[in-house]
Amino acid sequence: MKNTKYIFVTGGVTSSLGKGIISASLAKLLQLRGYNVTVQKFDPYLNVDPGTLNPYEHGECYVTIDGAETDLDLGHYERFLNIHTTQDNNVTTGKIYSNVINKERRGDYLGKTVQIIPHITDEIKRYIKLLGSKYGYEIVITEIGGTVGDIESLPFIESVRQIRWEMPENTLVIHLTLVPYLSATGELKTKPTQHSVKMLLENGIQPDIIVLRTEHSITQEIRRKVALFCNVENEAVIEAKNVKTIYEVPLYLHEEKFDTIVLKKLKLPEKKEPDLTKWKSFVDKIKNPDYSTNVALVGKYVELADAYKSIIESLIHAGATNNAKVNIKLVHSERIEENNLNETFKDIKGIIVAPGFGSRGIEGKILAIKYARENNIPFLGICLGMQLAVIEFARNVLHYKDANSTEFVRNTNYPVIDLMESQKSIVDKGGTMRLGAYNCELLPESKAYSIYKKNIIKERHRHRYEFNNRYLEEFKKAGMVVSGINPEMNLVEIIELPSHKWFIGVQFHPEFNSTVENPHPLFVDFIKTCLE
Ligand code: GLN
């Protein structure tokens, strides 16, 4: 699209200020005004994608429908905007360099010296413009990861400077900073913001709008001060005070007239007022629910809730849909033992066993599944959680002693979960799993069917192992129902136990498909059952 507008969101002072939520919220407001908008994330690290990163390093790895392993901020974009992002919405330094080096090897640069400027910056600019040209978005918001001043983000900042120079009328820079509060003197301090804007100016970029993250309201005096020292109008200084839930941020920023100033600066018509009625009632249900329930989320990264971001957000969506607060107890799978099950799951109305890789903590997860199955507690197993439910059933119902996944014990006697045929010859770890959205055909009259109310669903995957069809008949005979199958490859995608109140395991990741507008039916029905 010729006149796509490009908005860049940079961050200063510290990381973790919530650039992702600010970007997603602005996008939502512009979308509700009638613009076709998307958000893109640039990550200044050398991994080609976060797929090979440990969740301790980077939190959850979010998967797009086209099978890209991406930053968890893309999850926020999808949940807020109810659109699909793609592999082009997340770009790392590693991906940029890898593309440039591949081109160099092919001889595409015709003997030129390959340099950061212009070759790396050109590749970055190509990605910025791609979402406008290839997908036709009217507004593309690009979130630049990291903090201004980091060596690593310099090529990205330089690319923003160049694009701005090329098309000043179609670009806008929003700088997000922190205004710390000194409790000793009871003051909010603007100096870090001034310094951070100075750093941007040194790199040739004058921000158009400054967003101030703060724990206390900004006074007019502070607004004026920031405006004066950072060369922006008073109205271009936006307050972003801490709020109770991230879903409140769009409402807050609209009150601050953030979308109005953005459109004004881009010389775009305001079109209509954003209709926030539905969004407000969703936020209201999160803040003032009538009911509550307790759900245990069993995983091995519980010190870091970001590792399970999408599951936690899906539970918030499902809670709001059921007019309930979902209290999530994060349970460390390594600490679960036979003798503490009652205590661990005291007052727990539903158990979710999380996805994961590697053998750490799996026996604890299996104990949790056995407990849920035997005590008729609603159970949802996601990816590894589903595989472990199969293993638990094999060991304790079919009495296949030591049944396992070949991921954990290569030569187990009962490989009920095994490497997919297509995976056996793969050596590279990055981007080679079964990734992205695949069809799943539901069995009529199954629980899954009654929840989805559809014959064919499409859900996202990220795994190498699968149910071993060699054992299918034995499982069926013993009462396990396979209620979802991938029709193209005949892979087991959903298992359930009809004798149980609510026991479902899914080989895919439903959490990547839950949005504010479309809370995921599996989570909604799971929470509904927990509330009964
Ligand atoms: N480790 C398992 C596999 O690779 C499950 C992966 C997951 O839970 N995402 O198949």
Side-chain angles (χ1 to χ4, degrees):
M1 195 183 243
K2 224 171 154 203
N3 284 324
T4 301
K5 302 281 186 183
Y6 298 94
I7 300 176
F8 301 96
V9 180
T10 58
V13 184
T14 73
S15 56
S16 307
L17 288 181
K19 278 195 301 272
I21 301 295
I22 300 279
S23 304
S25 301
L26 173 62
K28 186 74 220 175
L29 293 171
L30 298 174
Q31 185 192 54
L32 286 172
R33 282 188 183 270
Y35 287 100
N36 187 10
V37 41
T38 192
V39 194
Q40 174 185 47
K41 171 94 189 262
F42 282 168
D43 279 310
Y45 51 71
L46 283 170
N47 304 66
V48 172
D49 60 44
T52 53
L53 283 171
N54 187 314
Y56 285 123
E57 295 277 319
H58 201 260
E60 164 189 281
C61 176
Y62 186 80
V63 181
T64 57
I65 50 164
D66 61 349
E69 298 175 278
T70 71
D71 185 75
L72 57 75
D73 272 331
L74 272 77
H76 291 308
Y77 309 158
E78 293 206 8
R79 287 187 282 273
F80 275 56
L81 296 175
N82 200 37
I83 60 166
H84 287 143
T85 55
T86 69
Q87 53 182 344
D88 298 324
N89 287 68
N90 191 195
V91 182
T92 68
T93 298
K95 189 155 156 184
I96 298 286
Y97 272 79
S98 159
N99 289 354
V100 168
I101 291 169
N102 285 339
K103 277 191 208 164
E104 186 275 334
R105 293 288 82 185
R106 281 202 307 263
D108 290 2
Y109 296 114
L110 305 174
K112 286 262 179 232
T113 307
V114 181
Q115 295 178 296
I116 293 181
I117 303 172
H119 302 102
I120 294 295
T121 47
D122 279 354
E123 186 64 10
I124 294 173
K125 285 179 351 193
R126 188 178 72 78
Y127 270 111
I128 294 171
K129 293 175 187 163
L130 199 59
L131 291 170
S133 59
K134 180 166 154 191
Y135 300 86
Y137 284 105
E138 293 170 283
I139 302 176
V140 176
I141 301 178
T142 302
E143 180 193 344
I144 314 275
T147 310
V148 167
D150 297 347
I151 289 180
E152 286 162 351
S153 48
L154 272 177
F156 292 109
I157 299 289
E158 167 61 13
S159 306
V160 172
R161 187 196 66 78
Q162 290 181 16
I163 287 214
R164 218 159 144 66
W165 177 77
E166 283 167 26
M167 39 178 177
E169 69 293 349
N170 288 337
T171 53
L172 184 83
V173 175
I174 298 170
H175 190 54
L176 172 66
T177 72
L178 174 72
V179 180
Y181 177 75
L182 297 189
S183 55
T185 50
E187 278 177 307
L188 287 164
K189 292 302 205 183
T190 64
K191 193 68 87 189
T193 299
Q194 297 175 37
H195 278 289
S196 149
V197 169
K198 221 171 247 166
M199 200 115 63
L200 258 186
L201 285 166
E202 275 170 24
N203 292 321
I205 296 174
Q206 165 65 53
D208 300 285
I209 297 174
I210 313 265
V211 179
L212 303 174
R213 261 312 285 281
T214 172
E215 285 173 25
H216 298 271
S217 293
I218 301 286
T219 58
Q220 278 312 322
E221 185 48 36
I222 289 182
R223 238 180 249 263
R224 265 199 300 277
K225 205 163 155 188
V226 171
L228 176 68
F229 285 109
C230 303
N231 314 317
V232 298
E233 296 103 312
N234 278 349
E235 57 172 2
V237 179
I238 303 290
E239 169 185 301
K241 204 165 76 176
N242 291 358
V243 282
K244 261 197 165 152
T245 141
I246 53 168
Y247 298 104
E248 224 177 317
V249 179
L251 306 177
Y252 191 95
L253 292 176
H254 181 59
E255 290 285 311
E256 278 286 299
K257 303 199 169 53
F258 188 31
D259 44 328
T260 310
I261 182 84
V262 164
L263 291 173
K264 185 173 153 195
K265 295 218 164 261
L266 283 172
K267 300 200 173 55
L268 286 175
E270 286 191 28
K271 293 195 184 174
K272 53 187 179 196
E273 263 298 293
D275 181 359
L276 290 159
T277 330
K278 276 197 201 144
W279 196 274
K280 273 189 185 143
S281 91
F282 171 78
V283 170
D284 187 54
K285 280 202 194 111
I286 294 179
K287 288 171 77 182
N288 309 302
D290 287 332
Y291 309 101
S292 82
T293 186
N294 305 326
V295 167
L297 173 58
V298 182
K300 64 172 171 176
Y301 301 110
V302 295
E303 313 83 350
L304 175 88
D306 268 3
Y308 304 113
K309 194 82 201 161
S310 293
I311 297 179
I312 292 171
E313 296 305 322
S314 301
L315 288 170
I316 293 174
H317 304 162
T321 311
N322 283 294
N323 189 15
K325 167 141 181 36
V326 180
N327 302 306
I328 303 169
K329 177 175 179 186
L330 296 167
V331 174
H332 204 304
S333 50
E334 281 180 296
R335 299 197 193 118
I336 300 179
E337 280 165 26
E338 200 93 56
N339 60 15
N340 63 19
L341 285 165
N342 282 326
E343 191 194 317
T344 307
F345 297 115
K346 189 170 169 266
D347 297 326
I348 290 296
K349 307 290 181 217
I351 297 176
I352 297 181
V353 173
F357 296 84
S359 59
R360 186 166 68 88
I362 62 153
E363 292 305 325
K365 286 182 171 176
I366 291 174
L367 280 175
I369 296 166
K370 180 166 183 268
Y371 187 81
R373 184 176 58 77
E374 291 180 343
N375 293 289
N376 211 23
I377 300 170
F379 165 79
L380 173 61
I382 302 176
C383 206
L384 177 67
M386 172 268 195
Q387 297 176 353
L388 296 176
V390 169
I391 294 170
E392 192 279 323
F393 194 85
R395 288 185 191 175
N396 300 319
V397 179
L398 294 171
H399 304 293
Y400 293 168
K401 198 168 167 294
D402 300 329
N404 221 321
S405 161
T406 52
E407 178 178 4
F408 313 124
V409 178
R410 191 159 289 175
N411 53 2
T412 167
N413 286 332
Y414 297 102
V416 289
I417 302 292
D418 197 9
L419 203 56
M420 278 180 261
E421 211 41 56
S422 56
Q423 286 286 333
K424 290 187 177 156
S425 55
I426 288 175
V427 276
D428 280 355
K429 289 274 181 285
T432 56
M433 283 186 247
R434 182 180 180 213
L435 288 167
Y438 286 88
N439 284 332
C440 169
E441 200 174 308
L442 300 183
L443 183 77
E445 283 163 47
S446 62
K447 180 135 202 131
Y449 187 91
S450 78
I451 292 169
Y452 279 96
K453 301 183 174 62
K454 271 186 202 163
N455 293 316
I456 300 269
I457 56 165
K458 241 187 165 66
E459 294 277 10
R460 301 178 210 187
H461 292 251
R462 182 176 186 247
H463 57 104
R464 294 186 201 280
Y465 294 80
E466 56 160 336
F467 184 95
N468 186 344
N469 279 332
R470 235 167 70 197
Y471 295 95
L472 195 58
E473 286 315 309
E474 282 94 321
F475 275 86
K476 282 184 177 171
K477 262 185 238 150
M480 184 174 272
V481 166
V482 171
S483 51
I485 290 279
N486 171 272
E488 286 85 24
M489 290 177 284
N490 194 30
L491 300 174
V492 171
E493 309 279 45
I494 311 179
I495 53 139
E496 55 186 72
L497 296 179
S499 56
H500 189 282
K501 188 172 182 185
W502 206 105
F503 190 103
I504 295 184
V506 289
Q507 183 57 80
F508 46 77
H509 291 267
E511 70 273 23
F512 297 146
N513 262 341
S514 187
T515 68
V516 171
E517 254 162 76
N518 286 315
H520 197 288
L522 266 183
F523 287 96
V524 172
D525 200 72
F526 175 73
I527 293 302
K528 189 173 141 237
T529 314
C530 296
L531 284 162
E532 275 163 13

